[in-house]
Amino acid sequence: MSDKVIHAIYDDDDVLLKAVKEVREANHHIDEVYTPFPVHGLEKAMGIANTRIAITAFLYGITGLGFAVWMMNYMMIEDWPQNIGGKPSFSYAENMPAFVPIMFELTVFFAAHLMVITFYMRSKIGPFVKASNPDPRTTDDKFLMEVPVTGDAKELEAFLTKTGATETKIVDKH
């Protein structure tokens, strides 16, 4: 594996999308693409598989629902049963309609907060993590494709320029 990569800068998202398809058709690997905004269809063009984030969201929601049921049963039925407004507090089933809003809120709370934590861990971002953006212009109006150098670097640079790159640069892999 090469320790050098080529940073190809593009000015337009449509040109970038077309270039990604051409680079993949030429059997070159694309390490990463940095864009200032989401580009529709880029993940499909790069061959990135769909995520399983919806499955984790469902599991986190079920965890929140289970926690809500356990918490309300313990607090309102077992530990400190109270007669509030004439409502019986002898069993969970009798009080369930009053507990529905709490179950809903804790389901959403667990799913949302655990999804954020999962996203940060999976993306290796978050507080105190140094950003790994190779070119600050990609946060403004440029698009950068990072391609590892395999074989002749000059030939690969010429190919990327032919795909519409406005500039290319060979750098050490970070």
Side-chain angles (χ1 to χ4, degrees):
M1 198 73 191
S2 175
D3 58 341
K4 302 259 187 213
V5 293
I6 295 179
H7 288 169
I9 303 283
Y10 294 86
D11 286 335
D12 186 76
D13 57 334
D14 292 329
V15 174
L16 171 76
L17 197 56
K18 185 173 171 276
V20 165
K21 292 174 184 175
E22 289 177 24
V23 169
R24 292 221 349 130
E25 285 172 5
N27 293 325
H28 293 292
H29 176 73
I30 300 171
D31 276 349
E32 188 65 71
V33 175
Y34 298 89
T35 64
F37 54 83
V39 177
H40 181 70
L42 183 61
E43 67 279 353
K44 184 178 178 187
M46 288 180 64
I48 297 174
N50 289 335
T51 66
R52 295 181 298 271
I53 202 92
I55 297 168
T56 59
F58 177 75
L59 294 175
Y60 293 154
I62 293 295
T63 303
L65 179 65
F67 180 77
V69 168
W70 171 82
M71 179 189 73
M72 289 181 299
N73 185 57
Y74 177 75
M75 288 192 303
M76 300 299 290
I77 307 302
E78 294 175 17
D79 186 42
W80 196 309
Q82 298 177 40
N83 187 349
I84 301 171
K87 293 181 182 174
S89 57
F90 306 120
S91 73
Y92 185 83
E94 288 175 307
N95 289 305
M96 227 267 282
F99 293 157
V100 169
I102 299 167
M103 291 188 297
F104 172 77
E105 291 298 330
L106 281 176
T107 300
V108 172
F109 179 85
F110 269 65
H113 285 78
L114 292 174
M115 287 295 293
V116 168
I117 292 168
T118 301
F119 174 75
Y120 280 157
M121 290 173 56
R122 181 76 176 101
S123 302
K124 297 181 179 96
I125 63 174
F128 313 112
V129 176
K130 186 178 180 296
S132 63
N133 190 354
D135 192 328
R137 295 178 295 171
T138 60
T139 61
D140 187 23
D141 63 345
K142 301 293 183 200
F143 304 85
L144 185 141
M145 183 189 324
E146 193 175 77
V147 181
V149 175
T150 54
D152 186 17
K154 295 295 179 192
E155 183 179 311
L156 185 55
E157 268 189 307
F159 173 70
L160 290 171
T161 302
K162 191 181 89 175
T163 63
T166 55
E167 63 182 87
T168 57
K169 180 171 50 169
I170 299 175
V171 296
D172 290 327
K173 193 177 246 184
H174 46 57

